[in-house]
Amino acid sequence: MSSSAKQFPTIKKVKTFLTQGVGSGGDYHNVASGHWLIDSKIATTMSQYENYRKSRTDFGINVLGSFCVELEASDGTKGFATGFGGPPACWLVAQHFERFLIGADPRDTNLLFEQMYRASMFYGRKGLPIAVISVIDLAIWDLLGKIRNEPVYKLIGGATRKRLDFYCTGPSPISAKKMGFFGGKVPLPYAAGEGHLGLQKNVEFLRSHRQAVGPDFPLMVDCWMSLTVPYTIELVAKCSDLNINWWEECLSPDDTEGYEFLKRAHPTAKFTTGEHEYSRYGFRALIAPRTLDIIQPDVMWLGGLTELLKVAAMAAAYDVPVVPHASGPYSYHFVVSQSNSPFQEYLANSPDGKSVLPVFGNLFTNEPIPVKGFLDVAELDRPGFGLEINPAAGLIDAAGILNPAPMRALKPAEESAEVVGNGR
């Protein structure tokens, strides 16, 4: 005798919040002045302009700031997630994406992603709109885990290992080695637009770090979209004796073909990219040519966990490892569930990059962080993503930040017809 499944709670309320001050929430670059991430010499897409070399904040890397999404279900359970986007993100949630969420079954993750993605396709597909969808999606997964009283990684396939190993991105690979990380990634200081002298200084910079950490410690280089194909080919050649583990995000995210030229010039060098790519369509172009050794999607940017799982399945079919960009516990739950994700990045959040602090600052009271370069999977055994909001974080309800709205969104057709019929 069959019986119907138990009725599942639906989403009844959507709220957004802004974080107060700096260093709290999902915008990695919204940190205090003097932090290595914004005020050390780092090659950027704007380095060719002298006025915008001193600090990454000079060209506006932190202008959006963090925001958070809270979803409340009909049984009172709440899901929560953070990311970047600030007030514009809150606006998009309230004015556009909320209509797809209210009354929805949170188990329908594929449907909800597709509706939000397709509805914003005319102005989205990449960048901020997809990042906003990502945070909503993460909040949905957090809600699901809390309703089911299970950690997210158990919802997406369970654990493939008992511990998660990390490399550290920061200004000091030797500090990463001392803290117990298996490898260190350092930002390249000079961009292609800074000429031949900058090229020489890049080689000297990397040579000094190799000498500091020794010949066998994995050393990676983050180029943050600041190089060109000819420049990268020359730089990699000049560093051929340094045993660089991989060269990351050398080119513009739109120059997917460029990696074919890099691999042709240096077939044994490893090249990685992907943190600024979005959706499965963008990653298809990166994965299919087999010119990348690792892809590095950011789960808070590419479309959330729902889209990351699709990208990961595609990458697994090509044996291309998936090593997510930062994203703290959101990435940890994904990586431990995937056989094709061997380890995880820890983005140093301390001002000098020489100690381990929570990725999201003071937003949560219990954010798991690696100790001696690894994390026991048992640390993730809490409902949802397992993160508890810190009351002292001082979240700001975003309901009134653009109220009254500069322009009200058009009403759905049936509501407009009702208004006309009532003579209003």
Side-chain angles (χ1 to χ4, degrees):
M1 181 177 177
S2 62
S3 60
S4 60
K6 180 181 177 181
Q7 187 174 5
F8 204 80
T10 57
I11 299 171
K12 73 172 185 179
K13 186 182 294 185
V14 181
K15 295 182 70 174
T16 58
F17 300 89
L18 299 173
T19 59
Q20 292 190 16
V22 296
S24 180
D27 188 341
Y28 308 123
H29 302 102
N30 192 30
V31 292
S33 177
H35 197 289
W36 75 268
L37 192 55
I38 57 173
D39 287 336
S40 58
K41 177 60 176 149
I42 295 177
T44 76
T45 55
M46 294 290 286
S47 292
Q48 62 184 307
Y49 307 109
E50 189 173 354
N51 290 344
Y52 301 105
R53 292 175 187 168
K54 184 176 180 181
S55 172
R56 298 169 96 183
T57 59
D58 289 340
F59 68 82
I61 198 169
N62 64 336
V63 295
L64 288 172
S66 301
F67 90 111
C68 307
V69 171
E70 179 187 87
L71 304 177
E72 183 177 347
S74 53
D75 67 348
T77 307
K78 294 180 179 179
F80 185 90
T82 187
F84 90 98
C90 298
W91 169 266
L92 285 174
V93 173
Q95 295 296 322
H96 196 182
F97 297 128
E98 181 181 291
R99 71 190 70 197
F100 305 109
L101 303 171
I102 299 297
D105 186 327
R107 293 173 296 182
D108 297 336
T109 53
N110 288 329
L111 173 67
L112 293 175
F113 173 84
E114 287 296 326
Q115 289 180 337
M116 290 186 288
Y117 175 78
R118 291 176 179 275
S120 59
M121 192 179 290
F122 68 99
Y123 68 87
R125 304 195 314 279
K126 296 178 183 288
L128 180 61
I130 299 298
V132 175
I133 293 172
S134 301
V135 180
I136 296 171
D137 183 80
L138 291 170
I140 292 172
W141 282 100
D142 188 53
L143 178 63
L144 278 173
K146 288 175 178 173
I147 292 173
R148 289 174 162 168
N149 197 34
E150 287 188 290
V152 168
Y153 79 86
K154 287 294 186 183
L155 303 179
I156 58 175
T160 60
R161 73 210 74 175
K162 293 183 178 180
R163 67 178 251 176
L164 176 58
D165 293 309
F166 291 78
Y167 74 88
C168 178
T169 296
S172 175
I174 186 63
S175 296
K177 185 177 182 179
K178 291 177 180 177
M179 288 187 286
F181 292 97
F182 78 80
K185 187 171 73 186
V186 63
L188 193 73
Y190 294 90
E194 293 174 272
H196 185 71
L197 181 58
L199 176 64
Q200 290 179 311
K201 290 183 177 181
N202 278 335
V203 176
E204 294 167 3
F205 172 83
L206 295 175
R207 193 171 300 281
S208 68
H209 281 303
R210 171 51 73 202
Q211 291 172 349
V213 298
D216 300 320
F217 184 73
L219 180 63
M220 294 75 89
V221 184
D222 186 353
C223 306
W224 210 75
M225 308 174 286
S226 67
L227 308 183
T228 63
V229 169
Y231 187 101
T232 304
I233 290 174
E234 184 176 1
L235 177 62
V236 173
K238 289 182 179 296
C239 296
S240 60
D241 63 324
L242 299 183
N243 190 26
I244 299 299
N245 189 269
W246 75 61
W247 298 89
E248 178 174 323
E249 207 176 23
C250 303
L251 310 176
S252 163
D254 294 313
D255 188 10
T256 54
E257 184 185 31
Y259 285 96
E260 297 180 33
F261 290 94
L262 298 185
K263 201 65 173 178
R264 194 178 305 160
H266 295 291
T268 60
K270 288 195 282 187
F271 298 100
T272 72
T273 195
E275 71 178 78
H276 291 103
E277 192 50 80
Y278 300 85
S279 87
R280 58 192 181 272
Y281 300 106
F283 278 94
R284 179 178 63 186
L286 291 176
I287 294 168
R290 296 178 182 262
T291 53
L292 291 170
D293 297 276
I294 292 172
I295 59 167
Q296 299 164 303
D298 190 307
V299 71
M300 297 195 301
W301 300 350
L302 93 155
L305 183 59
T306 298
E307 193 71 346
L308 179 55
L309 290 170
K310 294 179 174 64
V311 169
M314 181 165 36
Y318 288 84
D319 291 322
V320 177
V322 181
V323 178
H325 172 251
S327 297
Y330 301 134
S331 285
Y332 307 165
H333 280 260
F334 166 79
V335 171
V336 300
S337 75
Q338 303 292 307
S339 299
N340 196 41
S341 293
F343 48 81
Q344 170 60 32
E345 175 182 26
Y346 170 75
L347 182 62
N349 200 26
S350 59
D352 63 1
K354 297 180 180 180
S355 60
V356 180
L357 296 177
V359 172
F360 298 129
N362 71 338
L363 182 58
F364 303 110
T365 59
N366 64 338
E367 181 186 323
I369 57 176
V371 176
K372 296 182 179 179
F374 72 93
L375 182 75
D376 286 325
V377 173
E379 293 291 316
L380 303 178
D381 284 337
R382 293 188 287 265
F385 287 110
L387 299 169
E388 298 177 5
I389 303 170
N390 182 1
L395 294 178
I396 303 168
D397 190 332
I401 61 170
L402 290 175
N403 187 27
M407 179 181 290
R408 292 292 183 184
L410 295 175
K411 296 291 185 182
E414 60 271 18
E415 291 186 28
S416 299
E418 182 181 343
V419 169
V420 173
N422 292 333
R424 289 181 285 164

